[in-house]
Amino acid sequence: MTATPHPVIRPRRLRSGPAMRRLVSETRLHPADLVLPVFVREGVTEPVPIGSMPGVVQHSLDSLPAAIAEAAAVGVGGVMLFGVPESRDALGSGATDPDGILNVATRVAREAAGDALVVQTDLCLDEFTDHGHCGVLDDEGRVDNDATLERYTAMALEQARAGSQLLGLSGMMDGQTAAVRQALDDGGYQDVALLAYAAKYASAFYGPFRDAVESQLEGDRRTYQLDPGNRREGVREAMLDIDEGADIVMVKPAGSYLDVLADVAAASDVPVWAYQVSGEYAMIEAAAAHGWIDRGRAIVESVRGIRRAGADVVLTYWATELAGWLKGGLE
């Protein structure tokens, strides 16, 4: 009987223990690579829990500084602010009101953050419109792309005046990056950066987010967000935004679109971010609550997978918690 030959190549040598695995790790997580999405609700005096997102709240203006300080203390790279207004109308007027909740929250956040992290703001109308769409509607109820761009440029100027350091263009209107860039430059805000949600898909995974912002949407956004089956189109959208002056481009959602993320990362000469959205968060939290998965390991694995696919930064609702683990020496 011939003896079974011993393997010549033994990849397991590099998996022999925690120190060795850490030494040869190809994808590392760092607190500065995380951005925390934060909801701020008008007219409340204390945080309001979001039922479909266990552990996430709608902050009050009073509770916001503590959330900023906590994120900064563990080294989170930035916060992305979303406003939840008390009243809405067809034009989303609250978005361009200097005293609207998002602009006020931005001023509060900048004061709380100082230079410790980057204060970012969502530039979209959906939280502020009574129909829940990301733009204004024409007489036939369709989203009017070019009329919406006028609203976006007005929003951009108000957010810049409030102190936002980076504007998240999440509406998926054609030409939005170029329009906002020109408006900012003409208004003297050349240093305000633009994050284009370039490849934002019409996803089922946004459901809990709509609870978080109390969205008024009926129907869907398939006429302006990307078809989930389209891979090349995601890259095309990202390249268009880069050509229009985006400083950073985004793929959203992250977990179900890792192929698009990898393609964009390979083609882009600007930073590429990804958003681990509310549905991704909720699924892991729900499974963990039932004891079906190891919560901590699932969180780390999901975020590391997004980074491995090519994201330079990940927006995640676990940003502060995960950053704390990383500071504590997480393998």
Side-chain angles (χ1 to χ4, degrees):
M1 181 176 179
T2 304
T4 302
H6 295 297
V8 176
I9 299 173
R10 295 181 181 269
R12 287 183 57 191
R13 294 187 188 109
L14 301 184
R15 306 170 197 151
S16 58
M20 181 65 78
R21 291 193 294 270
R22 185 168 57 249
L23 181 65
V24 300
S25 177
E26 298 178 31
T27 305
R28 303 180 189 276
L29 299 179
H30 188 278
D33 301 331
L34 306 173
V35 169
L36 177 69
V38 178
F39 304 104
V40 188
R41 179 173 171 178
E42 188 173 20
V44 298
T45 57
E46 57 186 23
V48 178
I50 300 166
S52 57
M53 299 178 69
V56 180
V57 301
Q58 296 170 324
H59 279 284
S60 68
L61 290 170
D62 292 333
S63 68
L64 177 60
I68 300 290
E70 183 183 14
V74 291
V76 168
V79 293
M80 176 65 77
L81 302 179
F82 297 87
V84 185
E86 286 188 293
S87 61
R88 298 169 171 86
D89 60 27
L91 295 177
S93 300
T96 49
D97 181 352
D99 295 320
I101 183 60
L102 182 54
N103 295 320
V104 173
T106 301
R107 294 193 288 271
V108 171
R110 280 302 308 272
E111 183 175 356
D115 294 326
L117 50 73
V118 177
V119 173
Q120 310 162 31
T121 46
D122 179 58
L123 198 157
C124 193
L125 288 171
D126 61 321
E127 298 102 306
F128 298 94
T129 55
D130 57 11
H131 47 73
H133 277 289
C134 298
V136 296
L137 305 183
D138 63 18
D139 292 339
E140 297 183 15
R142 301 171 302 187
V143 175
D144 187 324
N145 191 97
D146 295 359
T148 298
L149 295 185
E150 295 182 16
R151 297 290 296 134
Y152 285 1
T153 57
M155 284 184 71
L157 291 170
E158 287 301 336
Q159 291 183 3
R161 291 185 190 109
S164 180
Q165 297 162 284
L166 183 150
L167 309 185
L169 310 182
S170 62
M172 287 301 291
M173 296 296 118
D174 293 341
Q176 64 184 17
T177 300
V180 170
R181 182 73 272 161
Q182 182 175 341
L184 290 173
D185 290 352
D186 290 348
Y189 296 103
Q190 294 90 343
D191 291 336
V192 174
L194 296 184
L195 162 64
Y197 287 48
K200 182 177 180 180
Y201 285 82
S203 172
F205 292 107
Y206 301 143
F209 177 92
R210 292 175 184 170
D211 290 340
V213 298
E214 300 178 6
S215 174
Q216 306 300 299
L217 181 67
E218 294 183 6
D220 59 55
R221 297 177 175 137
R222 295 182 186 181
T223 63
Y224 45 103
Q225 294 178 353
L226 293 176
D227 184 325
N230 290 1
R231 179 173 178 172
R232 292 190 302 270
E233 189 178 18
V235 179
R236 182 185 184 218
E237 287 276 12
M239 296 302 102
L240 286 170
D241 280 315
I242 292 171
D243 288 344
E244 290 182 15
D247 300 288
I248 305 165
V249 291
M250 176 93 86
V251 175
K252 180 183 179 182
S256 294
Y257 298 88
L258 296 180
D259 56 339
V260 179
L261 174 58
D263 290 347
V264 172
S268 175
D269 58 3
V270 304
V272 177
W273 294 6
Y275 198 142
Q276 186 177 45
V277 300
S278 60
E280 297 173 79
Y281 174 92
M283 286 192 300
I284 289 177
E285 289 289 351
H290 282 82
W292 296 336
I293 59 174
D294 181 314
R295 178 178 180 272
R297 289 184 62 191
I299 290 170
V300 173
E301 185 176 337
S302 67
V303 176
R304 182 173 281 144
I306 296 164
R307 289 275 287 116
R308 187 188 66 241
D312 299 297
V313 166
V314 180
L315 277 74
T316 176
Y317 298 98
W318 290 301
T320 299
E321 184 177 13
L322 177 54
W325 297 346
L326 294 169
K327 285 197 72 174
L330 174 75
E331 181 187 350

